[in-house]
């Protein structure tokens, strides 16, 4: 199944780009990449999925070939949820399924909670389920304050953008992400870099990247569901473990393709 087209959708701050595969008349599936990745992360998976669906993999703002936000506008999770709403409105989709990897799955899950009538099926690839108890809300506000302070510090520093060669970018990418192999890293850099006169620059929302580094502390925990709640959820959701790392959908897509295909083609969905 070959790539049908590249899409460029207008938004107030510029444009959102996307890649489309499959049948225009088929059920739509929106594919959401992980943090600092781009639409190329689905290049190896989608050709293995049913050809009678219409797949659109978007680049989140500041990622891939999409426009960066205006200076001073933070990259908040809620903003990415709004991006999904803009994209599906431009595509004139009333109902669709979501296939999200990592951060894309978190954003897609939030969208599904806010607009449940629009989402037929939700497929999450290595996306964490984060539950906060009421006493954690105060900590969450602390994290948000820290993120804002980091954002202001980065903007005040006015540090110039780095310009590196593709080889240097690849080395840096692989060093900071042990789950990526060289071949997959090169695939992401194809769409995640911008050529300039003296080399290539990596396209990423750098201020929020620094904010997220500031949030990784021993106090930031993922809460597990009690056993009873987990059992109740499993009556409504399908959970599958497969061998591989965080980028298994890129490095070994055959491990997940059949599972996703079966779920997409299932006619009778479970009560949500």
């Amino acid at each position: 199944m070959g790539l049908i087209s590249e899409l460029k959708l207008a938004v107030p701050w510029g444009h959102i780009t996307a890649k489309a595969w499959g049948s225009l008349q088929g059920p739509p599936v929106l594919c959401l990449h992980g943090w600092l990745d781009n639409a190329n992360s689905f290049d190896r998976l989608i050709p293995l999925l049913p050809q009678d669906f219409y797949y659109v993999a978007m680049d989140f703002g500041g990622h891939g070939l999409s426009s960066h936000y205006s200076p001073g506008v933070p990259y908040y999770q809620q903003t990415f949820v709004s991006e999904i709403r803009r994209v599906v409105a431009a595509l004139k989709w009333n109902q669709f399924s979501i296939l999200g990897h990592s951060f894309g799955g978190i954003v897609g899950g939030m969208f599904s909670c806010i607009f449940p009538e629009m989402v037929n099926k939700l497929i999450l690839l290595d996306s964490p389920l984060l539950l906060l108890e009421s006493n954690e809300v105060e900590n969450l506000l602390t994290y948000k304050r820290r993120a804002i302070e980091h954002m202001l510090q980065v903007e005040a520093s006015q540090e110039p953008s780095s310009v590196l060669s593709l080889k240097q970018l690849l080395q840096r990418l692989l060093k900071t992400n042990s789950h990526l192999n060289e071949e997959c890293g090169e695939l992401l850099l194809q769409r995640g870099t911008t050529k300039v006169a003296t080399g290539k620059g990596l396209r990423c929302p750098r201020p929020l990247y620094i904010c997220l580094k500031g949030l990784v502390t021993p106090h930031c925990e993922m809460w597990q569901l009690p056993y009873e709640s987990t059992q109740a959820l499993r009556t409504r959701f399908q959970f599958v473990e497969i061998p591989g790392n965080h980028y298994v959908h890129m490095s070994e897509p055959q491990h997940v393709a059949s599972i996703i295909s079966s779920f997409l083609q299932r006619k009778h969905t479970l009560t949500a």
Side-chain angles (χ1 to χ4, degrees):
M1 177 170 52
L3 179 68
I4 292 180
S5 62
E6 288 271 358
L7 306 177
K8 192 173 183 178
L9 309 172
V11 290
W13 62 91
H15 60 265
I16 293 293
T17 52
K19 305 174 71 171
W21 294 261
S23 170
L24 279 167
Q25 289 71 42
V29 180
L30 185 66
C31 305
L32 307 174
H33 62 77
W35 181 247
L36 298 186
D37 295 339
N38 53 65
N40 274 13
S41 71
F42 295 101
D43 276 12
R44 294 180 174 173
L45 173 61
I46 292 178
L48 303 180
L49 301 182
Q51 298 184 23
D52 54 346
F53 284 76
Y54 182 49
Y55 305 91
V56 173
M58 61 179 283
D59 292 320
F60 282 124
H63 295 71
L65 303 180
S66 290
S67 300
H68 285 89
Y69 294 169
S70 301
V73 179
Y75 289 81
Y76 283 156
Q77 182 174 314
Q78 183 66 34
T79 310
F80 291 124
V81 175
S82 300
E83 278 190 22
I84 296 176
R85 189 65 185 86
R86 293 178 188 274
V87 166
V88 298
L91 295 172
K92 296 181 170 55
W93 290 358
N94 295 318
Q95 286 192 324
F96 59 99
S97 295
I98 290 177
L99 170 59
H101 170 239
S102 191
F103 179 75
I106 296 173
V107 176
M110 180 178 288
F111 181 92
S112 301
C113 292
I114 299 173
F115 301 99
E117 75 284 358
M118 298 187 72
V119 182
N120 293 325
K121 295 177 181 178
L122 176 65
I123 302 168
L124 307 179
L125 300 173
D126 215 23
S127 294
L129 177 62
L130 180 64
L131 300 178
L132 294 177
E133 292 187 351
S134 57
N135 63 354
E136 283 296 300
V137 174
E138 183 177 348
N139 287 340
L140 182 61
L141 296 177
T142 301
Y143 299 154
K144 286 182 177 291
R145 173 176 176 142
R146 190 180 302 168
I148 292 171
E149 290 173 343
H150 272 274
M151 175 73 71
L152 295 177
Q153 290 172 5
V154 171
E155 290 181 354
S157 70
Q158 295 184 337
E159 183 179 333
S161 300
S162 299
V163 178
L164 303 172
S165 69
L166 275 175
K167 184 177 180 180
Q168 290 172 316
L169 286 171
L170 180 60
Q171 290 174 345
R172 179 172 294 188
L173 180 61
L174 298 180
K175 183 178 180 180
T176 57
N177 197 326
S178 60
H179 290 165
L180 275 177
N181 60 34
E182 185 170 332
E183 197 172 1
C184 293
E186 289 175 347
L187 185 60
L188 290 176
L189 288 179
Q190 284 177 13
R191 195 176 181 88
T193 55
T194 301
K195 191 172 183 178
V196 294
T198 55
K200 281 186 175 270
L202 182 63
R203 293 175 58 84
C204 67
R206 183 177 174 278
L208 186 54
Y209 172 66
I210 293 176
C211 292
L212 289 177
K213 285 175 63 179
L215 294 182
V216 180
T217 71
H219 303 290
C220 187
E221 301 175 351
M222 181 185 297
W223 290 76
Q224 292 183 323
L225 289 169
Y227 175 78
E228 296 79 7
S229 299
T230 305
Q231 293 303 103
L233 276 179
R234 285 179 177 172
T235 65
R236 300 186 179 190
F237 295 88
Q238 179 182 0
F239 176 79
V240 182
E241 280 190 88
I242 51 96
N245 60 30
H246 189 57
Y247 283 91
V248 68
H249 70 297
M250 290 189 71
S251 58
E252 298 175 288
Q254 69 277 9
H255 286 182
V256 297
S258 60
I259 301 168
I260 295 172
S261 298
S262 175
F263 186 70
L264 283 174
Q265 293 174 319
R266 185 182 298 168
K267 299 299 182 184
H268 302 288
T269 57
L270 301 171
T271 303

